[in-house]
Amino acid sequence: MAWTLLPVYYVFDDLDVLTPHDVLTAGRYGPYSSAGSGSPYYLVPVSRSLAFDTTFGAQRSTGLSAAA
C-alpha cells in the first residue's frame, strides 16, 4: 500500500468490506501452504466486516433509467 495513494478495501462476494487495518488488527494467520505463491493469508471473523453501504454510502438515484 505504500506505493499507491489509493485506499485499499477488501470487498467480498456478499459485499461485506474490510480495510487493511481491520485485517491486521482482528485477523490471525491462516494455515501455511507451500502450494502456489506461498503468501500468508489472514482469517478474519465475519463480525468484523462492514456492509458495503455503511462503508461507501448508499447509492443515490440519478433519475436515469437503466435502459438509457
Side-chain angles (χ1 to χ4, degrees):
M1 187 164 73
W3 49 268
T4 181
L5 298 177
L6 298 174
V8 174
Y9 294 93
Y10 302 100
V11 181
F12 300 94
D13 60 352
D14 63 355
L15 294 183
D16 281 351
V17 178
L18 289 170
T19 66
H21 178 75
D22 297 328
V23 173
L24 291 174
T25 58
R28 61 179 176 87
Y29 283 110
Y32 177 77
S33 172
S34 60
S37 67
S39 298
Y41 62 93
Y42 289 94
L43 301 174
V44 182
V46 173
S47 61
R48 290 292 302 182
S49 61
L50 298 171
F52 189 89
D53 289 346
T54 302
T55 305
F56 298 107
Q59 180 180 3
R60 289 182 268 159
S61 174
T62 61
L64 298 175
S65 68

